[in-house]
Short mmCIF file of all heavy atoms in Angstrom, two decimals:
data_model
loop_
_atom_site.label_atom_id
_atom_site.label_comp_id
_atom_site.label_asym_id
_atom_site.label_seq_id
_atom_site.Cartn_x
_atom_site.Cartn_y
_atom_site.Cartn_z
N TYR A 75 95.50 33.89 64.10
CA TYR A 75 95.10 35.29 64.38
C TYR A 75 96.23 36.04 65.07
O TYR A 75 96.53 37.19 64.75
CB TYR A 75 93.86 35.33 65.29
CG TYR A 75 92.55 35.13 64.58
CD1 TYR A 75 91.79 33.99 64.79
CD2 TYR A 75 92.06 36.12 63.71
CE1 TYR A 75 90.57 33.81 64.14
CE2 TYR A 75 90.84 35.94 63.06
CZ TYR A 75 90.10 34.78 63.29
OH TYR A 75 88.91 34.62 62.65
N MET A 76 96.85 35.36 66.03
CA MET A 76 97.89 36.05 66.81
C MET A 76 99.12 36.34 65.96
O MET A 76 99.73 37.40 66.08
CB MET A 76 98.26 35.20 68.04
CG MET A 76 97.11 35.13 69.03
SD MET A 76 97.43 34.02 70.40
CE MET A 76 98.81 34.84 71.17
N ILE A 77 99.45 35.40 65.09
CA ILE A 77 100.61 35.63 64.20
C ILE A 77 100.30 36.80 63.26
O ILE A 77 101.16 37.64 62.99
CB ILE A 77 100.93 34.35 63.37
CG1 ILE A 77 101.35 33.21 64.31
CG2 ILE A 77 101.96 34.63 62.29
CD1 ILE A 77 102.77 33.24 64.81
N LYS A 78 99.06 36.86 62.81
CA LYS A 78 98.68 37.95 61.91
C LYS A 78 98.83 39.30 62.63
O LYS A 78 99.37 40.26 62.06
CB LYS A 78 97.21 37.74 61.47
CG LYS A 78 96.83 38.47 60.22
CD LYS A 78 95.50 37.97 59.70
CE LYS A 78 95.03 38.85 58.56
NZ LYS A 78 93.66 38.57 58.18
N ILE A 79 98.39 39.35 63.86
CA ILE A 79 98.51 40.60 64.64
C ILE A 79 100.00 40.95 64.81
O ILE A 79 100.42 42.09 64.60
CB ILE A 79 97.83 40.43 66.03
CG1 ILE A 79 96.32 40.32 65.83
CG2 ILE A 79 98.15 41.60 66.96
CD1 ILE A 79 95.55 39.84 67.07
N ALA A 80 100.81 39.95 65.16
CA ALA A 80 102.25 40.18 65.35
C ALA A 80 102.89 40.70 64.06
O ALA A 80 103.69 41.64 64.08
CB ALA A 80 102.94 38.88 65.79
N ASN A 81 102.51 40.11 62.93
CA ASN A 81 103.11 40.53 61.66
C ASN A 81 102.74 41.96 61.30
O ASN A 81 103.56 42.71 60.76
CB ASN A 81 102.69 39.58 60.53
CG ASN A 81 103.41 38.25 60.64
OD1 ASN A 81 104.44 38.15 61.29
ND2 ASN A 81 102.86 37.21 60.01
N ILE A 82 101.50 42.35 61.60
CA ILE A 82 101.12 43.74 61.29
C ILE A 82 101.93 44.71 62.15
O ILE A 82 102.44 45.72 61.66
CB ILE A 82 99.59 43.97 61.48
CG1 ILE A 82 98.79 43.07 60.54
CG2 ILE A 82 99.24 45.44 61.23
CD1 ILE A 82 97.28 43.10 60.75
N ILE A 83 102.08 44.38 63.44
CA ILE A 83 102.87 45.27 64.31
C ILE A 83 104.31 45.36 63.77
O ILE A 83 104.90 46.43 63.67
CB ILE A 83 102.88 44.77 65.77
CG1 ILE A 83 101.46 44.78 66.34
CG2 ILE A 83 103.80 45.63 66.64
CD1 ILE A 83 101.32 44.18 67.73
N GLU A 84 104.84 44.20 63.39
CA GLU A 84 106.23 44.17 62.88
C GLU A 84 106.38 45.04 61.64
O GLU A 84 107.36 45.75 61.47
CB GLU A 84 106.61 42.72 62.57
CG GLU A 84 108.09 42.49 62.53
CD GLU A 84 108.41 41.00 62.60
OE1 GLU A 84 107.57 40.16 62.22
OE2 GLU A 84 109.53 40.68 63.03
N SER A 85 105.35 44.99 60.78
CA SER A 85 105.43 45.79 59.54
C SER A 85 105.33 47.28 59.85
O SER A 85 105.66 48.11 59.01
CB SER A 85 104.34 45.36 58.56
OG SER A 85 103.08 45.77 59.06
N ARG A 86 104.84 47.63 61.04
CA ARG A 86 104.72 49.05 61.41
C ARG A 86 105.65 49.37 62.58
O ARG A 86 105.35 50.24 63.39
CB ARG A 86 103.26 49.33 61.81
CG ARG A 86 102.29 49.26 60.65
CD ARG A 86 100.83 49.30 61.11
NE ARG A 86 100.52 50.46 61.93
CZ ARG A 86 99.36 50.64 62.57
NH1 ARG A 86 98.40 49.73 62.47
NH2 ARG A 86 99.15 51.72 63.30
N LEU A 87 106.78 48.64 62.64
CA LEU A 87 107.65 48.74 63.81
C LEU A 87 108.09 50.18 64.10
O LEU A 87 108.04 50.65 65.25
CB LEU A 87 108.87 47.84 63.62
CG LEU A 87 109.72 47.63 64.87
CD1 LEU A 87 110.24 46.19 64.92
CD2 LEU A 87 110.89 48.57 64.98
N ASP A 88 108.48 50.92 63.06
CA ASP A 88 108.98 52.28 63.30
C ASP A 88 107.90 53.17 63.89
O ASP A 88 108.15 53.98 64.79
CB ASP A 88 109.50 52.90 61.99
CG ASP A 88 110.77 52.20 61.54
OD1 ASP A 88 111.38 51.49 62.37
OD2 ASP A 88 111.15 52.35 60.35
N GLU A 89 106.69 52.99 63.36
CA GLU A 89 105.56 53.79 63.85
C GLU A 89 105.26 53.48 65.33
O GLU A 89 105.05 54.38 66.15
CB GLU A 89 104.35 53.40 62.98
CG GLU A 89 103.23 54.36 62.94
CD GLU A 89 102.06 53.71 62.19
OE1 GLU A 89 102.30 53.00 61.18
OE2 GLU A 89 100.94 53.89 62.65
N PHE A 90 105.26 52.18 65.64
CA PHE A 90 105.02 51.76 67.03
C PHE A 90 106.14 52.27 67.95
O PHE A 90 105.88 52.74 69.06
CB PHE A 90 104.91 50.24 67.13
CG PHE A 90 103.50 49.73 67.04
CD1 PHE A 90 102.89 49.54 65.81
CD2 PHE A 90 102.76 49.45 68.19
CE1 PHE A 90 101.57 49.08 65.72
CE2 PHE A 90 101.45 48.99 68.12
CZ PHE A 90 100.85 48.81 66.87
N ALA A 91 107.39 52.17 67.47
CA ALA A 91 108.52 52.59 68.32
C ALA A 91 108.44 54.10 68.58
O ALA A 91 108.67 54.56 69.71
CB ALA A 91 109.84 52.24 67.65
N ALA A 92 108.10 54.86 67.56
CA ALA A 92 108.00 56.32 67.74
C ALA A 92 106.89 56.64 68.73
O ALA A 92 107.05 57.50 69.61
CB ALA A 92 107.75 57.00 66.39
N ALA A 93 105.78 55.93 68.63
CA ALA A 93 104.64 56.18 69.52
C ALA A 93 105.00 55.81 70.97
O ALA A 93 104.67 56.53 71.91
CB ALA A 93 103.43 55.38 69.07
N GLU A 94 105.71 54.68 71.13
CA GLU A 94 106.08 54.24 72.48
C GLU A 94 107.02 55.25 73.13
O GLU A 94 106.88 55.59 74.32
CB GLU A 94 106.77 52.87 72.40
CG GLU A 94 106.84 52.11 73.69
CD GLU A 94 105.47 51.54 74.11
OE1 GLU A 94 104.58 52.35 74.40
OE2 GLU A 94 105.33 50.31 74.13
#
Side-chain angles (χ1 to χ4, degrees):
Y75 279 112
M76 292 174 64
I77 297 280
K78 200 167 171 191
I79 292 167
N81 286 340
I82 298 174
I83 297 174
E84 201 165 25
S85 70
R86 291 170 55 187
L87 192 142
D88 291 344
E89 200 188 321
F90 266 83
E94 198 73 294

